[in-house]
């Protein structure tokens, strides 16, 4: 058997860690094969029938992208014309259809988290799925649980939900259900430990002047992986997610798409994931190595985007023919892809791809990379429906009222309203003036990077506030949206009955540098020189209301203590209806019910989890040691006994709520036991030829330059693969057991979607009475926390929540349940979950630090 240079690279990189005595990711082989259990059964059987008809080249075509900018979507797999299968269209982003027109710009994931509303998460997922489906997209690249949000200045935190795994997991699951109900495949990303933009890809870092040869390694212990970072991904699997995307970074010095421990063991064996794993764009590092480590689809197909070379394609064909990769592994890749396809009903919902990612013009090149075939590429199909109303609702439902000294709600009849700050107005170049939103001009309603889409319009706060006041026919309103015009700001603030001051803080993906912020924020201060606007306004107006648009927390301690700042609201990244959502809350049509989904510290140092901003391992992979374990965000603040400016889960309302009558009831259930037994042997679905001449390019193929194909241009495999190292012995590089298709032992913590089914047994029922003690209708978010009781456990951890609407004086008995997983810890020694003997306590309240109700949890039998 043979292994080539494309294959060797990734396997060798995975072993270098042990040689340097760095964090090490243990091997886990073979890659588990799908079995179609549970709700996957019908889709799996259909997939097996489909894949059984395929030739080896057709299977390879299904698993390999056609190359960067070679088709209409940001990623497309090869087609199978013989069976009428066009291939799959994969498209960003987690907040809308990227790189096209006549689509909606939805609020970011962090805003969904601020709603603490599972129903809104579902509806947003469904609406985004409908729009992707209407454009012909098969796989929407979202939602996001990585980054989780280890550090508050992580560049892509806003694409996901919250640094709390339970809040993220619940909202991620509902988003997935909504998306897939619309008939498209969701993609849970980025798996796993992807917590910073700095050094995520060595070539990108080199472009910024950093002299490194390998991408950053997130070094995470097994307990932390399970109890924190893996948790929301388990919820995604239980929600039936179709696909996962592996990440750019290394985990314990093994690349995310080459890491057999995270992909084979954690995801496929332990969580029993039945769908497929795709690489992030440029995160594929080896051919044979990544295939055996659990990668199922290479995106966008070329080894370096746009170079026409590939780890798979031709090389995957050769690797199967020469026996380096067993046929069953390729079969499993194909079955996983097609099972996901059938599970969401793509065979019923699929419509023709009617847009082009590389131009919004009506006509363009069919193969944009090489400028071939000038045709109609954009049908300009409007898929927005009535989604603007939902976007406006999510926007207003996600506005967190952080401070209110009686200033809000406004009436619209104030005598003189000053609107101050660049963030209130339009960008000079328009809402889409910077590619992938890679700038911070005008009001901020979306971060930057691949997690964006185009605005169809953007209602600015200035427009909406002026319209609100003009509709009342009373008062004067003036705006200064030049942060440097201190004289005008001072003039209007000194006359104002109320000054509305707008500030923001931006971040995004690492390939874009905005004002020296290479994706990650350099700090958590506000941008655009907005501090001076706040100082000028508050020095001249004793009724200043501060509005923050931002990707996360900013330094707000001085503002909270400033008596001239009478109210503070955080509006996040609300999407196209930004101004309308805001005025709904400012002027009282919507009573704010959102809660902050992250902690606000006094400064960056108070979080205790700094990003690595400079290389620390010579030219080798920078090393980020997650020594804080599970103690991020509010868990860290509790452990350090540090007082936050605003705690996790905090948010004010125009009414008040009371909590009483906590009741805990054990639910009889069977004892927890480890999963056991064995899988069936790996199925091989069809014979294949070992004659290389059977895989030569067909005569009727009109080859497109740099396009990725599964065929060979020579019967000499070394020549066909363009591999100067072809001939290395596989026993030196193929890990032990990696090609073993015999029955495998089921892991003790496995056995079902999301892990051992016993983890999800309900063991306690908890109820409490919530009362609206104020004078107006409002929403409250009851939050249930648990103390696991051990000396190494956080003080409390969120375990359940809901959002309820109550009329004045109305009482509601909120009832929820705790599962065995909710009260368990991970034991690295036994590789299973267990309930410790430490006494456990349940708390219910309105934030992580306002928990008026508590009760002991009886021991489980």
């Amino acid at each position: 058997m043979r292994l080539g240079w494309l294959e060797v690279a990734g396997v060798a990189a995975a072993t270098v860690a042990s040689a340097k005595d760095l964090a090490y990711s243990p091997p886990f082989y073979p890659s588990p094969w799908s079995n179609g259990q549970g709700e996957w059964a019908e889709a799996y059987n259909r997939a097996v029938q489909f894949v059984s008809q395929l030739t080896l080249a057709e299977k390879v075509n299904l698993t390999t992208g056609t190359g960067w900018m070679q088709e209409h979507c940001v990623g497309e797999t090869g087609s199978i014309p013989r069976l009428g299968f066009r291939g799959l269209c994969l498209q960003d982003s987690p907040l809308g259809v990227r790189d096209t027109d006549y689509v909606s710009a939805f609020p970011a994931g962090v805003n969904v988290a601020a709603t603490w509303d599972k129903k809104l998460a579902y509806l947003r997922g469904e609406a985004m799925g409908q729009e992707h489906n209407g454009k012909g997209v098969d796989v929407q690249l979202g939602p996001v649980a990585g980054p989780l949000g280890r550090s508050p200045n992580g560049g892509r935190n806003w694409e996901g939900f919250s640094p709390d795994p339970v809040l993220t997991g619940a909202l991620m699951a509902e988003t997935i259900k909504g998306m897939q109900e619309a008939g498209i495949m969701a993609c849970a990303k980025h798996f796993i430990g992807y917590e910073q933009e700095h050094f995520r890809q060595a070539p990108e870092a080199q472009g910024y002047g950093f002299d490194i040869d390998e991408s950053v390694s997130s070094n995470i212990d097994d307990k932390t992986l399970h109890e924190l970072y893996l948790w929301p991904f388990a919820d995604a699997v239980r929600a039936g997610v179709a696909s996962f995307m592996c990440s750019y970074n290394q985990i314990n010095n093994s690349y995310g798409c080459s890491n057999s421990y995270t992909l084979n063991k954690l995801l496929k064996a332990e969580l029993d994931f039945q769908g497929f794993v795709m690489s992030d764009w440029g995160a594929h590092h080896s051919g044979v190595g990544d295939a055996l480590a659990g990668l199922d689809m290479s995106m966008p197909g070329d080894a370096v985007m746009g170079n026409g070379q590939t780890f798979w394609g031709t090389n995957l064909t050769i690797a199967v023919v020469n026996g380096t990769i067993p046929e069953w592994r390729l079969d499993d890749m194909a079955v996983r892809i097609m099972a996901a396809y059938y599970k969401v009903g793509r065979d019923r919902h699929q419509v023709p791809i009617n847009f082009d990612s590389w131009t919004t013009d009506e006509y363009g090149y069919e193969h944009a990379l090489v400028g071939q075939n000038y045709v109609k590429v954009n049908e300009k199909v409007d898929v927005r429906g009535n989604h603007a109303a939902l976007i406006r609702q999510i926007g207003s439902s996600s506005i967190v009222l952080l401070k209110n000294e009686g200033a809000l709600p406004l009436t619209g009849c104030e005598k003189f309203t000053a609107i101050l700050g660049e963030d209130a107005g339009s960008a000079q170049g328009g809402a889409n003036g910077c590619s992938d939103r890679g700038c911070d001009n005008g009001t901020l309603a979306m971060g930057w990077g691949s997690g964006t889409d185009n605005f169809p319009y953007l209602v600015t706060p200035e427009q909406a506030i002026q319209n609100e006041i003009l509709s009342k026919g009373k008062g004067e309103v003036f705006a200064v949206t030049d942060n440097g015009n201190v004289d005008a700001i001072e003039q209007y603030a000194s006359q104002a009955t109320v000054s509305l001051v707008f500030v923001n803080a931006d971040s995004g993906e690492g390939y874009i540098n905005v004002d020296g912020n290479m994706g990650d924020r350099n700090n958590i201060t506000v941008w655009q020189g907005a501090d001076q606007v706040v100082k000028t306004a508050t020095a001249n107006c004793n009724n200043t209301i501060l509005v923050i648009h931002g990707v996360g927390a900013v330094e707000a301690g001085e503002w909270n203590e400033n008596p001239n700042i009478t109210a503070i609201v955080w509006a996040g990244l609300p999407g196209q209806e930004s101004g309308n959502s805001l005025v709904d809350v400012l002027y009282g049509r919507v009573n704010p019910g959102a809660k902050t989904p992250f902690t606000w510290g006094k400064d960056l140092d108070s979080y205790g989890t700094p990003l690595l901003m400079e290389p620390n391992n010579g030219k080798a992979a920078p090393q980020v040691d997650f020594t804080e374990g599970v103690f991020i965000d509010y868990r860290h603040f509790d452990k350090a006994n540090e007082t936050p400016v605003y705690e996790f889960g905090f948010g004010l309302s125009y009414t008040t709520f009371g909590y009483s009558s906590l009741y805990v009831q054990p639910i009889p259930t069977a004892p927890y036991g480890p999963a056991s037994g064995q899988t069936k042997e790996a199925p091989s679905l069809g014979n294949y030829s070992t004659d290389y001449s059977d895989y030569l390019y067909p005569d009727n193929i009109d080859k497109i330059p740099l396009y990725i194909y599964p065929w060979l241009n020579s019967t000499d495999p070394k020549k066909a693969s363009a591999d100067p190292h072809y001939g290395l012995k596989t026993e030196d590089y193929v890990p032990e057991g990696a090609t073993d298709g015999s029955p495998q032992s089921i892991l003790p913590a496995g056995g079902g979607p999301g892990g051992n089914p016993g983890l999800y047994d309900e063991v306690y029922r908890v109820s409490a009475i919530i009362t609206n003690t104020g004078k107006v209708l409002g929403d409250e978010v009851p939050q249930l926390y648990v103390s696991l009781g051990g000396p190494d456990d956080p003080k409390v951890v969120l375990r359940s929540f809901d959002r309820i609407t109550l009329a004045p004086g109305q009482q509601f008995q909120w009832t929820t349940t705790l599962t065995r997983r909710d009260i368990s810890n991970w034991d690295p020694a036994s590789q299973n979950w267990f309930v410790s003997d430490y006494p456990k306590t349940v708390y219910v309240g309105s934030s992580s630090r306002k928990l008026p109700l508590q009760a002991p949890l009886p021991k489980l039998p």
Side-chain angles (χ1 to χ4, degrees):
M1 292 189 294
R2 305 294 180 183
L3 193 71
W5 74 273
L6 291 169
E7 287 75 33
V8 170
V11 179
T15 61
V16 72
S18 57
K20 292 188 175 183
D21 196 29
L22 300 174
Y24 175 65
S25 184
F28 186 91
Y29 295 98
S31 184
W33 40 94
S34 58
N35 56 32
Q37 74 168 359
E39 64 179 24
W40 286 81
E42 180 183 356
Y44 172 81
N45 290 333
R46 294 187 67 188
V48 168
Q49 293 173 11
F50 181 86
V51 174
S52 296
Q53 303 174 65
L54 302 184
T55 66
L56 177 60
E58 288 169 337
K59 295 173 189 176
V60 170
N61 228 23
L62 185 60
T63 64
T64 306
T66 57
W68 179 244
M69 294 182 66
Q70 287 285 25
E71 294 288 359
H72 298 290
C73 306
V74 294
E76 290 194 34
T77 67
S79 61
I80 305 171
R82 182 175 64 88
L83 297 179
F85 185 81
R86 75 168 192 206
L88 299 179
C89 164
L90 297 84
Q91 192 73 12
D92 298 304
S93 82
L95 57 66
V97 190
R98 183 186 178 206
D99 288 334
T100 187
D101 46 16
Y102 299 98
V103 297
S104 300
F106 288 85
V110 69
N111 279 66
V112 178
T115 72
W116 294 63
D117 192 321
K118 299 167 193 172
K119 182 181 293 184
L120 286 179
Y122 176 90
L123 292 173
R124 173 178 172 271
E126 183 181 42
M128 292 192 303
Q130 290 168 350
E131 295 201 9
H132 278 82
N133 185 57
K135 288 289 187 178
V137 175
D138 296 297
V139 184
Q140 179 181 350
L141 302 176
V144 172
L148 184 67
R150 173 180 180 259
S151 305
N153 53 330
R156 298 180 76 176
N157 291 355
W158 58 270
E159 292 186 37
F161 299 96
S162 164
D164 182 85
V166 169
L167 181 56
T168 288
L171 298 176
M172 190 176 194
E174 292 303 314
T175 303
I176 289 165
K177 292 174 186 176
M179 290 164 62
Q180 297 192 163
E181 183 66 25
I184 57 99
M185 290 177 268
C187 176
K189 64 180 192 180
H190 308 83
F191 192 74
I192 190 171
Y194 175 38
E195 295 295 322
Q196 65 174 62
E197 296 304 287
H198 277 71
F199 321 125
R200 65 179 189 147
Q201 295 186 88
E204 182 179 273
Q206 291 162 7
Y208 287 130
F210 295 106
D211 187 18
I212 61 171
D213 294 330
E214 299 291 342
S215 302
V216 67
S217 178
S218 298
N219 302 326
I220 315 173
D221 66 89
D222 202 35
K223 186 176 188 293
T224 300
L225 261 176
H226 281 82
E227 294 185 10
L228 191 63
Y229 297 102
L230 188 64
W231 188 291
F233 287 116
D235 290 332
V237 173
R238 283 183 62 79
V241 71
S243 62
F244 266 67
M245 181 188 291
C246 47
S247 55
Y248 286 124
N249 57 286
Q250 300 188 63
I251 306 98
N252 297 324
N253 291 289
S254 176
Y255 277 101
C257 297
S258 311
N259 195 308
S260 65
Y261 186 84
T262 57
L263 297 183
N264 286 344
K265 182 179 189 293
L266 296 184
L267 182 57
K268 291 184 174 180
E270 187 177 309
L271 298 187
D272 200 34
F273 175 55
Q274 297 288 307
F276 64 96
V277 177
M278 72 178 76
S279 68
D280 203 341
W281 275 231
H284 191 173
H285 288 274
S286 75
V288 169
D290 286 11
L292 298 178
L295 186 67
D296 301 306
M297 180 185 288
S298 176
M299 277 292 136
D302 23 28
V304 175
M305 290 194 291
N307 74 351
Q309 297 181 348
T310 179
F311 290 116
W312 283 4
T314 298
N315 284 289
L316 184 54
T317 300
I318 293 171
V320 175
V321 171
N322 71 20
T324 306
I325 294 177
E327 185 193 12
W328 63 258
R329 175 77 268 263
L330 178 61
D331 287 345
D332 185 60
M333 297 178 196
V335 166
R336 286 175 174 274
I337 294 167
M338 292 308 301
Y341 175 89
Y342 287 123
K343 185 176 186 295
V344 302
R346 286 309 294 158
D347 54 320
R348 303 189 309 273
H349 295 288
Q350 193 178 67
V351 300
I353 300 167
N354 53 56
F355 73 101
D356 189 80
S357 296
W358 322 116
T359 180
T360 53
D361 293 340
E362 193 172 358
Y363 288 85
Y365 289 105
E366 184 178 8
H367 306 290
L369 178 70
V370 293
Q372 282 198 0
N373 299 5
Y374 194 78
V375 296
K376 189 174 185 178
V377 295
N378 188 359
E379 300 289 342
K380 295 190 174 291
V381 177
D382 192 333
V383 295
R384 292 174 291 174
N386 63 348
H387 296 155
L390 174 64
I391 291 168
R392 181 169 180 167
Q393 181 185 2
I394 295 172
S396 61
S397 296
S398 61
I399 290 175
V400 184
L401 182 59
L402 296 170
K403 177 181 180 180
N404 189 19
E405 301 297 331
L408 293 177
L410 300 170
T411 66
C413 298
E414 287 74 21
K415 189 171 184 179
F416 191 112
T417 300
I419 304 169
L420 307 174
E422 180 178 325
D423 182 68
S426 299
Q428 289 185 351
N432 298 321
C434 297
S435 177
D436 288 339
R437 314 294 77 76
C439 59
D440 185 34
N441 301 326
T443 194
L444 181 66
M446 190 184 296
W448 75 72
S450 66
T452 64
D453 73 346
N454 291 330
F455 289 102
Y457 59 82
L458 176 55
V459 179
T460 70
E462 178 188 7
Q463 293 167 334
I465 293 167
Q466 285 186 342
N467 289 341
E468 183 74 22
I469 293 171
L470 292 174
S471 71
K472 300 291 194 301
K474 297 181 180 180
E476 293 187 341
V477 55
F478 295 93
V480 181
T481 56
D482 177 359
N483 284 357
N485 195 339
V486 178
D487 290 341
I489 293 170
E490 181 177 339
Q491 175 188 348
Y492 287 122
S494 64
Q495 301 176 57
T497 310
V498 58
S499 291
L500 295 167
V501 176
F502 289 81
V503 303
N504 73 37
D506 202 358
S507 72
E509 193 170 355
Y511 69 91
I512 296 175
N513 181 336
V514 179
D515 296 335
N517 296 268
M518 293 174 283
D520 302 315
R521 286 188 285 168
N522 295 332
N523 48 53
I524 58 170
T525 59
V526 292
W527 290 32
Q528 303 173 332
D531 258 331
Q532 185 59 49
V533 180
V534 177
K535 290 176 182 177
T536 303
T538 54
N540 291 278
C541 179
N542 63 3
N543 186 24
T544 299
I545 295 172
L546 191 61
V547 179
I548 304 167
H549 285 112
V551 294
V554 297
E555 293 180 6
E558 289 186 10
W559 300 336
N560 186 59
E561 299 300 323
N562 188 329
N564 287 348
I565 296 178
T566 52
I568 302 175
V569 299
W570 178 85
L573 303 171
Q576 69 191 42
E577 289 284 321
S578 175
N580 288 335
S581 298
L582 180 64
V583 298
D584 285 343
V585 170
L586 292 182
Y587 293 92
R589 282 188 296 277
V590 172
N591 187 347
K595 305 285 187 177
T596 178
F598 46 79
T599 300
W600 297 64
K602 64 181 180 181
D603 54 34
L604 190 56
D605 291 339
S606 63
Y607 291 85
T609 48
L611 298 178
L612 181 69
M613 307 296 268
E614 295 290 338
N616 63 354
N617 192 27
K619 295 185 68 173
Q623 303 290 304
V624 180
D625 298 326
F626 287 39
T627 53
E628 73 284 346
V630 299
F631 293 93
I632 69 171
D633 200 73
Y634 71 91
R635 302 166 180 221
H636 163 75
F637 280 80
D638 288 346
K639 181 180 181 180
N641 198 26
E642 175 135 3
T643 301
V645 179
Y646 306 113
E647 73 269 20
F648 174 79
F650 172 79
L652 300 173
S653 170
Y654 296 153
T655 188
T656 55
F657 298 94
Y659 286 74
S660 62
S661 305
L662 181 64
Y663 179 69
V664 178
Q665 179 185 19
I667 301 174
T669 188
Y672 180 73
S676 60
Q678 286 193 315
T679 69
K680 295 181 179 179
E681 67 179 359
S684 292
L685 303 180
N687 295 323
Y688 65 97
S689 169
T690 56
D691 185 345
Y692 289 111
S693 64
D694 291 335
Y695 303 101
L696 294 174
Y697 275 90
D699 294 336
N700 62 346
I701 291 293
D702 182 15
K703 293 204 297 186
I704 301 163
L706 304 181
Y707 201 91
I708 306 301
Y709 296 101
W711 295 293
L712 285 61
N713 58 15
S714 170
T715 55
D716 178 354
K718 180 176 181 179
K719 182 178 179 181
S721 68
D723 184 349
H725 303 293
Y726 193 90
L728 293 172
K729 294 180 179 180
T730 58
E731 52 264 32
D732 293 333
Y733 297 99
V734 173
E736 182 179 357
T739 61
D740 181 7
S742 64
Q744 302 293 312
S745 296
I746 296 172
L747 298 182
N756 190 311
L759 289 172
Y760 299 95
D761 289 340
E762 295 178 342
V763 293
Y764 299 104
R765 182 174 292 106
V766 182
S767 65
I769 300 294
I770 319 297
T771 305
N772 184 338
T773 57
K775 297 180 180 179
V776 294
L777 181 78
D779 286 5
E780 175 63 324
V781 177
Q783 302 163 39
L784 183 152
Y785 294 79
V786 170
S787 168
L788 297 173
D792 298 323
D793 291 319
K795 181 179 179 181
V796 293
V797 287
L798 180 71
R799 285 299 185 252
S800 187
F801 64 91
D802 209 343
R803 181 161 176 159
I804 58 177
T805 302
L806 297 175
Q810 182 180 358
Q811 290 189 333
F812 178 78
Q813 184 177 47
W814 179 57
T815 301
T816 187
T817 58
L818 291 171
T819 66
R820 184 177 278 108
R821 179 173 73 148
D822 290 328
I823 59 168
S824 294
N825 291 100
W826 178 256
D827 178 29
S830 66
Q831 287 294 288
N832 206 349
W833 296 89
F834 75 105
V835 178
S836 73
D837 291 331
Y838 295 109
K840 299 177 185 354
T841 307
V842 63
Y843 301 85
V844 173
S846 60
S847 76
S848 63
R849 292 205 169 186
K850 290 184 176 62
L851 299 169
L853 307 181
Q854 70 177 77
L857 287 176
K859 277 197 172 185
L860 295 180

